[in-house]
Every structure is written in C-alpha cells, then in structure tokens.
Amino acid sequence: MSLYHGSLYWPTTVQERPVYPKLNNHVTCDVLVIGAGMSGALLTYMLAKESLQVILVDKGSVGNGSSAANTGLLQYSNDKMLHSFAESIGEEDAVRFYELCLNGMKELKSIASSLHEDVQFVNRQSLYYASTDSDVFSLRKEYEMLKKYKFPVEFLEKDMIYKAYGFNKHAAIRTSGDAEVNPERFIISLIKEAAQKSNVQVFENTEVSKPQNKDGCWLFNNGDSSIKAKHVVYATGYDLDNFAIDIPTKINRTFAIVTNPVSSFPHWEDRCLIWETKRPYFYMRTTLDGRIIAGGLDEEIMEAPRDDQILQLYADRLLVRIKEHFPHLQLKADYVYGATFGESKDGIPFIGEHPQQKNLYYCLGFGGNGTVYSAFGSTILKDLIIKGKHPDADLVRLDR
C-alpha cells in the first residue's frame, strides 16, 4: 500500500539529508526500533540517552514514510472531545488521556528546543470553532470540562471571533500550549543527533523479516545479515502489512495542499492553528515562509487517488475552504497530495507490549494527534523497557 500520492512540500525544505548504510552484517542490541518515521525517531532519541545499545532500521530512508505527509499541527486536544471520551471511557481516564497529550506537547517543546538544528517549531494557539449553530452546545460543554480540569482554554463568542480573525463563526474555543513543526526536519534532526551517540546505530534500506524468539531474544535473520535484540519496538505507522496484530483500527485517506507564499496575514495575526467541529473536519496552519497548509475531505478509502486531475479537484475544494475564511488572499496550490492515515476505533493510540509476546512492543500513534501520541508513547515504552512498568501503560495497551 502506498502511503501518499502527489507532491510533498516538506522534502523541499531539507537541504542536506544524512545517509545511513544498509545492514550487511550480524549485529546485536538491547533495543531494535523498526521504522524511522516520527514514532521511531522520538523513541530512538529518548533511548539514546540511556545505557542501552539501540539499533534503528527502516526499509526505506529516514522520514520518507507517512511522516513526510504529516502536516505538522501539534495539539493536545483530540479529534474526539474530552467530554465525549468521558462518556465512553469514564471521566477519570478521559482526563488522564488529555493530560498525557498535554504532557506530550510539553515533551515535544523541550526536545525541539534542545536540538542543534532549526526544526521550525513554533508555539501556537488553536482555534476550534463550531461549524454550525447546533455545535455550539457541544463546544461550550467541552470548554466547561477543559476549564474544570485546568486545561489552557478560553471561550470565544461570535463577535470575538470576527474581531480577532475577520470571519463569522457561531462560537469557538481557543487553546494554548499547542505548536507547529516541520516534521521532516524534526525527524531528520532527532535521528541525526541520536546517531551521534556511540550506543546508537541507524540503518536505511534494511527490511527485517518476521522474528524468531530464541534464547529469550528476538532474532531477525535475512541471510547475509541478522539482528539479535532483547527488545523490539514496531514504530511502523500505518504500514503494518508484515507485522499486523489484531487491533481495532480503520485506514482512511485524507487530502492536503500547501499554497504559494503570501506577504502577510492581516486578519490572522496570531497565525493560530484553525480547525472545526464538523466531521470530517477542515484545518489549516501557516508556514514560516508564508504558505498555508490546509487539509481535510477525509474519506473511508485506504489509498489516495493517483490521478492528478482528481487530486487537483480536491485541491480546488480545499482552496475554496481557505477563501471562506480569508477571501482577500491570492492563493493557489503549489503542492497537492492525498495520504493514508489510521484511526483507532476508540480514539486512543495503541502503545505497549504485545499481550502474548514478551519484549515485543508497538508504538502506533493512530489518530489526528499522531506526533503527540508518539511523544508520550515513547516515554511509556522507554519505562516499560527499562523499568518494566509505567503508570499510564494500561490506558493505551494493545488488548483493551
């Protein structure tokens, strides 16, 4: 399954990309991380600071999987509202899950600020508006619950939205503590700095076979090369063809565009992240060079269309949505693509140890907040590997 079709923006922002060798010998390690996308990069970066021998492999090259199509919106709020989670899993677990997401945001900010290279990480607020008048009640209910548990949020009435942004919406909540990032630069920098540690090895173009458990370790034997690992983490994103486990997920497709640069955003001065209550929702953000990234139009189809005319049709629809908010901007779509994404049926990612296979783990950040999930998920997995436990592991376990 191809993870995206079309033209991607983020790879054009990377001037120099490190190249890592293909594995061609026999190696051993404490932890093998499979997949050099966002999840694998964050986990490898965290493990690099521990007294562990770590190997990261990818069947392609670093950051060139579904992470290359990541639009780089980082939010603690979920596709599923907090009060909806409370109704489905209970208020205590719902609040704890949102706290994990907020902690994940803080972890991402801390990591980004510690990197030596600029990953275009910018703190932003998020504007989440009611798409219809009937959504105002739900939005106010969400605001009250977020406020109750001291999440950074404020409620905006219709006149306040127009005054701040110049477009008419029925109501909105504005959250603080969110951010935007260049995901391609972020992944490359994370792995580059991890690979500088003596306890980390990175291999590209290295596809692993199905492992065998031998003498308490996992063995991947590919003939001329092999990897023996005490612990294995699958951070393979939506590409689970060879390593699928029975978890309740669905794979859909989404669309995104990146516009031409514009000189200013007079009615979007704070350049907050914008999204809506309608499902599937429309969202947009800006880039440091003055472009708008917009996405949505999700469909319950696994693969994005390969036909350029169809992609352009979706691009035109996204441009119309941007113009509904900012009609004064002169825009065209410089980059257009469709991408595959996965969702869990309960809205919570799958992170943890395989229920029947000891020392075999998964970091699957399925959902709209995949980077945030990967951040707190990497912390959970690091503790499971080193300490054998984490207080929040049960919330995101694979067999829930």
Side-chain angles (χ1 to χ4, degrees):
M1 181 177 67
S2 179
L3 297 173
Y4 52 79
H5 298 297
S7 55
L8 299 180
Y9 168 64
W10 298 123
T12 69
T13 68
V14 177
Q15 304 304 318
E16 294 185 13
R17 180 186 294 270
V19 176
Y20 300 96
K22 178 180 180 179
L23 180 64
N24 57 11
N25 58 356
H26 305 282
V27 293
T28 63
C29 62
D30 295 307
V31 185
L32 169 65
V33 180
I34 302 172
M38 187 64 77
S39 298
L42 284 164
L43 179 59
T44 301
Y45 180 83
M46 291 187 187
L47 292 175
K49 299 181 179 182
E50 306 297 329
S51 299
L52 296 167
Q53 294 298 317
V54 181
I55 292 176
L56 171 66
V57 300
D58 195 283
K59 67 179 181 180
S61 56
V62 165
N64 273 356
S66 57
S67 294
N70 185 330
T71 48
L73 286 81
L74 307 176
Q75 300 167 301
Y76 77 80
S77 294
N78 200 274
D79 287 3
K80 188 172 181 177
M81 293 191 202
L82 176 58
H83 73 266
S84 296
F85 269 124
E87 292 167 3
S88 61
I89 65 174
E91 192 162 319
E92 183 178 351
D93 283 348
V95 171
R96 184 57 193 146
F97 178 59
Y98 259 57
E99 288 173 343
L100 281 175
C101 291
L102 187 58
N103 290 340
M105 281 301 314
K106 294 175 181 177
E107 184 70 34
L108 289 169
K109 292 178 184 181
S110 176
I111 291 173
S113 65
S114 71
L115 295 172
H116 293 97
E117 296 181 1
D118 179 18
V119 297
Q120 299 177 348
F121 190 101
V122 182
N123 294 321
R124 297 289 190 202
Q125 294 182 311
S126 290
L127 185 76
Y128 185 40
Y129 67 73
S131 304
T132 65
D133 187 48
S134 60
D135 289 337
V136 174
F137 175 79
S138 178
L139 204 59
R140 190 174 288 277
K141 187 175 180 181
E142 180 70 358
Y143 163 74
E144 291 171 354
M145 192 164 189
L146 288 169
K147 197 71 176 176
K148 175 183 176 181
Y149 288 100
K150 303 186 186 311
F151 288 98
V153 63
E154 57 184 318
F155 194 87
L156 277 65
E157 303 286 356
K158 186 174 183 179
D159 59 334
M160 299 169 67
I161 299 170
Y162 185 79
K163 183 178 180 181
Y165 301 102
F167 54 78
N168 287 304
K169 296 299 173 184
H170 303 278
I173 56 177
R174 189 162 56 192
T175 53
S176 302
D178 296 330
E180 67 188 29
V181 72
N182 180 326
E184 190 90 349
R185 287 192 180 191
F186 195 31
I187 292 167
I188 290 171
S189 295
L190 287 167
I191 294 175
K192 181 179 179 180
E193 296 201 13
Q196 291 171 355
K197 303 280 189 179
S198 60
N199 60 321
V200 176
Q201 298 179 79
V202 179
F203 297 102
E204 294 180 320
N205 302 305
T206 300
E207 190 163 8
V208 296
S209 59
K210 189 174 181 179
Q212 296 177 316
N213 194 292
K214 186 176 182 181
D215 300 326
C217 291
W218 291 102
L219 180 63
F220 298 80
N221 197 328
N222 289 344
D224 293 337
S225 64
S226 67
I227 306 172
K228 184 178 181 181
K230 295 178 183 176
H231 305 267
V232 177
V233 182
Y234 285 110
T236 49
Y238 312 136
D239 189 3
L240 288 171
D241 291 347
N242 297 322
F243 318 114
I245 52 178
D246 188 19
I247 52 178
T249 62
K250 55 181 180 178
I251 304 295
N252 299 327
R253 70 183 186 187
T254 189
F255 298 87
I257 62 171
V258 184
T259 72
N260 56 296
V262 297
S263 58
S264 64
F265 300 95
H267 298 294
W268 193 359
E269 292 181 358
D270 64 352
R271 293 170 70 163
C272 66
L273 315 179
I274 297 176
W275 59 313
E276 64 175 339
T277 54
K278 179 184 177 182
R279 294 295 184 270
Y281 60 83
F282 168 78
Y283 61 88
M284 55 183 170
R285 56 159 286 194
T286 61
T287 64
L288 292 187
D289 62 346
R291 301 175 187 271
I292 295 175
I293 300 177
L297 309 179
D298 300 355
E299 298 176 334
E300 294 185 358
I301 302 173
M302 289 183 66
E303 273 201 87
R306 298 174 183 269
D307 191 316
D308 289 341
Q309 290 184 329
I310 295 178
L311 284 174
Q312 188 58 51
L313 175 65
Y314 283 88
D316 292 341
R317 292 177 181 175
L318 288 170
L319 280 170
V320 167
R321 291 304 314 273
I322 299 174
K323 298 286 275 186
E324 289 173 5
H325 300 79
F326 304 112
H328 58 285
L329 296 177
Q330 299 300 311
L331 300 172
K332 64 183 181 68
D334 280 354
Y335 303 87
V336 182
Y337 61 91
T340 295
F341 75 99
E343 296 179 296
S344 66
K345 294 192 176 178
D346 62 1
I348 296 175
F350 292 98
I351 298 163
E353 189 173 21
H354 193 292
Q356 284 87 43
Q357 304 285 356
K358 187 172 177 58
N359 296 334
L360 188 65
Y361 310 84
Y362 291 80
C363 187
L364 305 177
F366 283 15
N369 290 21
T371 301
V372 176
Y373 298 160
S374 297
F376 73 70
S378 294
T379 299
I380 290 174
L381 288 173
K382 182 186 71 171
D383 283 359
L384 289 178
I385 291 169
I386 296 173
K387 304 175 184 177
K389 60 182 180 179
H390 187 283
D392 298 305
D394 190 62
L395 189 60
V396 294
R397 72 186 188 277
L398 305 181
D399 61 346
R400 61 180 186 272

